[in-house]
Amino acid sequence: MTKVGMMTEFKSAILDIWSENVFVHESNTKWFDNLKFILSDYFDVSVANYFVFGTDSFVRLQQSNNYMYQLDEIKWTEIETYFYDSDFADVPLIQASSSENEIVSILLRDSNQEPMGLLTMDSTDKWKLFSQTDEVDVFIEITKSLVQTIKQSIYLVQQENQYRNLFNVTKMFHSTLDVGQILEGTLISMRDALPELQITLILSNDQDRKTAAPYKLFDYTSERSATVEAYVSGEITTEEAIDLGVRLSNIPIKGKQGIYGIIQIAAPLDYIFSVRQKEFAFLLAAAAGNALENAKLYIQSHRLVSDLQLINETSHKLNTNLSLDEMLAFLRNQLTKSCNPDHTCFVMIENDEYVISSASTELFQTIDGQLYIQYVANHFKKLKDPLFIADFNRLADLKYEYRSLIAIPLKEQNNITGFSIVLHKDPYFFSFDSFKLMQSLIQHSSLAISNSALRHQLQEMVNRDHLTNLFARKYLDKSVENSMCHDEYGVFILMDIDNFKRVNDTHGHQVGDGILKQIAGIIQSEADGIGIGARWGGEELALYLPQMSIVEGFEIGEELVKQIPLRTNPSVTISVGICSWEKENKDTFHNLFHNADTALYEAKNNGKNQIRVFEASHLK
């Protein structure tokens, strides 16, 4: 066969390879198997290998495991000089890897004369004769055209698959506002595109992270500098992490309004990312960023409506006539509803002392809870700004169980009157939205809480006698009426200071007022926790003892008669009238007071400084 006829047949065989392999699956290597058959037919070649050129080296076609020597990668700089004058040569480096055959290496260049691939095969006698002819250049050109065509075909197939993958995941992004689905779809698509590499999602701390997709939280203090740079700048960064033995690529998940996280790809140090892979990763991250942003805006809009409703409900409730404890208990429920904390605390500052509200959870009655309160109290002594701590353990030497903390001050005219704390075990649990909502709730509540405290103080002033600090008669009347409706029995004691006018005339009204205060203190000590002491009017004082029998009441009245002369200066005595009521007797509020007054009148008329019981037959 003539050389012209031979090359015509060779071109025809190459065309057959092209027609069979163009636009096939991207990982197909059948084309090279076909090429080896042609090389065997024309040049008696038994073994051949093809190396694909990357950035600076040739890498053996991975899918072919029939090779004559153990050489998977060849550096271009190590063989470049052998191809200055010719595109085929005997390369000692390659020849040294084979102990049996002579090897010829054929360099295939692209249209810019840059390396594209390297074909190595047996240097047979037929090849040696053929390589001396002018047709060898035609052979190389035909082979180069085949490789270029196959390469372009593979690139187009890969590109088609890439865009189909991107289209499918983007279609899913547009069909959902579920953050979890978006994150899972992003991770799955990236792993499908780069199955041999490790993909990690790094999310910013303000995301709704209810997702099954594995992720880690972005942390400025512990992230690598290249990761932080990508997060801050919004640009792709790469880093050779020698300590980890990988090359890290950080691709920002970026929307129009912010950066929501990082897709981090860990590859071997010698791995080269293709332009197609970089483009896919960038487009996927951009689509995910826009989808997350839309989902976040949707969630925020719904949350904003919910938050406004919560604030409105809270404001409306707090403007009703609630006691301070009722108000704080309601506020605790609202904070639980909005922030979902593990524990909530309200601390009021009264006379430079910290008083823990009964609306607080039990943790804050323990030593561990007191540590959080002390930390927050020390902060508000120095600053008036709220506290938002993502991980409490980063600030403390000890390791605490509850790591997320928000503390908001209660203010009255720019003075801190108390504060609220919420805690959760997980670090980074509270979002910035939760922090702002809690801040708004506490700010709306501060005035209501101050008004409640003021109402309490005013009510105390109304309920108390300003001189003796005993309860006023009106308060006592209501308390006795309430007791007679709900209790089963009780005792009413009415007292009068003997010869009080003489004390005022002899010592003056200021001393008389002092006597009233001294007796009031004695009554309060006797009534503490068991009854209500009151100023009945003038020098008359009263003591009501709910759920107490006449015998028990008589003992207390008798003790007062004994103690008051001993504990007053100047010494005075009292006369006491005492009576009781029982629900089964259907006693009335008016009769109770009348009976005690009658008994007191008897004590006065029988020599004073004594106690008399209405209907003394009741005594046992």
Side-chain angles (χ1 to χ4, degrees):
M1 181 184 298
T2 65
K3 293 185 178 63
V4 174
M6 173 184 172
M7 292 312 302
T8 300
E9 288 188 9
F10 184 78
K11 289 179 182 179
S12 177
I14 292 297
L15 184 61
D16 289 340
I17 295 176
W18 180 87
S19 62
E20 290 179 12
N21 291 277
V22 71
F23 299 129
V24 296
H25 190 272
E26 59 182 277
S27 63
N28 181 47
T29 57
K30 184 181 176 183
W31 70 273
F32 187 66
D33 292 332
N34 293 341
L35 179 61
K36 286 192 289 185
F37 281 117
I38 295 174
L39 296 175
S40 176
D41 286 345
Y42 287 90
F43 304 115
D44 294 335
V45 171
S46 60
V47 179
N49 280 278
Y50 181 71
F51 293 78
V52 181
F53 185 71
T55 301
D56 57 3
S57 60
F58 297 89
V59 179
R60 185 178 58 82
L61 200 62
Q62 294 298 316
Q63 287 74 16
S64 175
N65 55 17
N66 178 24
Y67 56 101
M68 55 192 164
Y69 43 84
Q70 298 292 331
L71 195 61
D72 290 329
E73 184 177 0
I74 304 169
K75 294 289 185 182
W76 171 232
T77 53
E78 295 176 346
I79 64 173
E80 183 178 5
T81 55
Y82 296 98
F83 297 98
Y84 282 162
D85 299 326
S86 174
D87 284 338
F88 63 94
D90 296 333
V91 180
L93 172 69
I94 300 174
Q95 183 62 56
S97 64
S98 174
S99 59
E100 298 180 0
N101 306 76
E102 289 185 58
I103 306 298
V104 63
S105 299
I106 302 170
L107 179 66
L108 304 177
R109 303 177 187 266
D110 61 17
S111 57
N112 296 319
Q113 295 304 302
E114 295 295 329
M116 180 175 61
L118 187 69
L119 175 63
T120 63
M121 62 182 188
D122 296 336
S123 182
T124 62
D125 293 338
K126 283 188 176 181
W127 165 257
K128 289 177 181 177
L129 290 173
F130 180 75
S131 65
Q132 302 300 316
T133 68
D134 295 338
E135 297 298 323
V136 69
D137 293 330
V138 178
F139 165 82
I140 293 174
E141 282 298 317
I142 294 172
T143 306
K144 181 176 71 174
S145 296
L146 171 66
V147 171
Q148 283 181 321
T149 303
I150 295 296
K151 181 180 178 182
Q152 183 65 25
S153 171
I154 291 174
Y155 175 81
L156 291 174
V157 171
Q158 290 175 336
Q159 190 176 52
E160 179 187 358
N161 291 340
Q162 166 186 307
Y163 283 114
R164 183 180 291 111
N165 186 356
L166 195 62
F167 173 79
N168 289 335
V169 73
T170 304
K171 183 179 178 181
M172 184 274 288
F173 287 165
H174 286 296
S175 66
T176 182
L177 291 170
D178 186 302
V179 171
Q181 287 188 21
I182 293 169
L183 293 174
E184 289 172 40
T186 302
L187 193 58
I188 291 170
S189 295
M190 188 62 78
R191 286 176 173 173
D192 286 346
L194 302 169
E196 71 278 18
L197 305 183
Q198 181 182 345
I199 313 296
T200 304
L201 282 179
I202 305 175
L203 301 181
S204 59
N205 297 319
D206 61 342
Q207 298 303 310
D208 181 354
R209 300 183 293 272
K210 295 177 181 177
T211 173
Y215 66 89
K216 59 176 285 193
L217 289 176
F218 181 85
D219 187 347
Y220 279 102
T221 60
S222 61
E223 296 296 344
R224 304 181 74 91
S225 58
T227 307
V228 174
E229 181 185 348
Y231 184 81
V232 173
S233 68
E235 301 295 331
I236 297 175
T237 62
T238 58
E239 173 191 7
E240 287 192 4
I242 304 300
D243 54 324
L244 301 177
V246 295
R247 182 191 299 274
L248 295 176
S249 294
N250 303 291
I251 306 160
I253 303 174
K254 183 170 62 173
K256 294 179 180 178
Q257 298 183 5
I259 297 171
Y260 305 101
I262 296 288
I263 299 174
Q264 188 175 80
I265 305 172
L269 288 169
D270 58 354
Y271 188 87
I272 305 299
F273 286 96
S274 68
V275 174
R276 176 186 58 79
Q277 289 173 328
K278 291 180 181 179
E279 180 187 39
F280 175 80
F282 175 79
L283 292 174
L284 178 62
N290 289 327
L292 282 174
E293 189 164 82
N294 291 335
K296 184 176 180 181
L297 290 173
Y298 174 79
I299 293 169
Q300 283 181 336
S301 65
H302 278 257
R303 176 159 187 166
L304 182 59
V305 172
S306 176
D307 290 352
L308 290 173
Q309 289 174 341
L310 189 70
I311 292 170
N312 182 60
E313 177 189 353
T314 303
S315 299
H316 178 76
K317 186 74 173 179
L318 293 178
N319 285 327
T320 59
N321 193 22
L322 296 176
S323 69
L324 180 61
D325 288 340
E326 290 173 333
M327 195 174 292
L328 294 178
F330 172 75
L331 193 56
R332 181 192 65 194
N333 292 336
Q334 298 298 84
L335 291 176
T336 299
K337 197 185 301 182
S338 60
C339 301
N340 197 27
D342 287 332
H343 291 284
T344 307
C345 177
F346 296 97
V347 176
M348 307 306 295
I349 303 174
E350 299 177 3
N351 300 321
D352 293 329
E353 293 187 359
Y354 296 95
V355 180
I356 302 173
S357 166
S358 60
S360 305
T361 48
E362 294 180 359
L363 171 74
F364 296 97
Q365 302 297 336
T366 67
I367 295 176
D368 289 341
Q370 294 288 330
L371 292 173
Y372 292 102
I373 292 175
Q374 189 60 50
Y375 181 90
V376 173
N378 290 338
H379 169 81
F380 287 134
K381 284 179 181 178
K382 302 173 185 176
L383 302 170
K384 294 183 179 181
D385 299 328
L387 268 175
F388 183 20
I389 300 176
D391 189 351
F392 195 78
N393 284 348
R394 288 188 176 277
L395 306 177
D397 295 331
L398 300 176
K399 298 302 179 184
Y400 291 92
E401 183 178 5
Y402 299 93
R403 298 172 65 178
S404 291
L405 178 149
I406 299 177
I408 309 294
L410 291 162
K411 294 182 180 180
E412 181 181 353
Q413 296 180 347
N414 207 36
N415 294 319
I416 295 179
T417 58
F419 50 83
S420 175
I421 303 172
V422 294
L423 299 173
H424 198 279
K425 287 185 178 181
D426 297 338
Y428 299 95
F429 179 80
F430 301 120
S431 67
F432 187 70
D433 289 336
S434 296
F435 168 68
K436 298 300 290 182
L437 176 60
M438 179 174 172
Q439 194 174 19
S440 181
L441 285 173
I442 298 301
Q443 286 174 351
H444 278 78
S445 305
S446 290
L447 181 59
I449 291 171
S450 298
N451 288 340
S452 176
L454 182 59
R455 279 199 308 271
H456 180 72
Q457 293 173 2
L458 291 173
Q459 192 62 51
E460 278 286 300
M461 292 174 64
V462 172
N463 292 341
R464 297 277 182 177
D465 173 66
H466 74 281
L467 177 64
T468 63
N469 202 37
L470 291 171
F471 285 105
R473 179 171 177 173
K474 186 175 181 180
Y475 180 84
L476 180 66
D477 290 350
K478 288 183 179 178
S479 298
V480 175
E481 281 190 285
N482 183 62
S483 175
M484 294 183 78
C485 290
H486 298 95
D487 296 330
E488 297 299 320
Y489 49 88
V491 172
F492 186 76
I493 300 173
L494 194 59
M495 295 163 273
D496 184 81
I497 302 173
D498 297 330
N499 305 313
F500 189 66
K501 184 177 184 303
R502 186 187 303 169
V503 173
N504 282 332
D505 292 344
T506 303
H507 301 283
H509 287 282
Q510 189 172 358
V511 173
D513 289 346
I515 292 293
L516 284 169
K517 291 178 182 179
Q518 292 173 42
I519 295 174
I522 297 168
I523 292 172
Q524 284 178 322
S525 65
E526 289 292 333
D528 187 27
I530 61 171
I532 301 170
R535 187 176 182 186
W536 188 254
E539 66 269 24
E540 288 187 324
L541 307 167
L543 176 59
Y544 178 68
L545 304 165
Q547 294 293 91
M548 190 169 287
S549 69
I550 190 67
V551 176
E552 295 170 314
F554 183 83
E555 291 175 355
I556 291 174
E558 195 172 40
E559 186 66 21
L560 288 170
V561 172
K562 290 179 183 178
Q563 289 294 323
I564 285 174
L566 300 175
R567 296 168 62 182
T568 52
N569 183 25
S571 179
V572 296
T573 61
I574 61 169
S575 298
V576 177
I578 182 172
C579 66
S580 65
W581 69 273
E582 295 179 1
K583 181 167 282 189
E584 61 185 24
N585 295 334
K586 298 183 179 179
D587 294 313
T588 65
F589 170 70
H590 175 76
N591 288 340
L592 184 67
F593 290 163
H594 175 74
N595 295 342
D597 193 47
T598 300
L600 175 62
Y601 182 78
E602 290 180 6
K604 284 286 189 183
N605 287 341
N606 283 282
K608 303 177 181 178
N609 190 25
Q610 59 186 274
I611 181 170
R612 282 287 184 266
V613 180
F614 182 78
E615 296 182 359
S617 60
H618 289 182
L619 280 174
K620 296 181 180 179

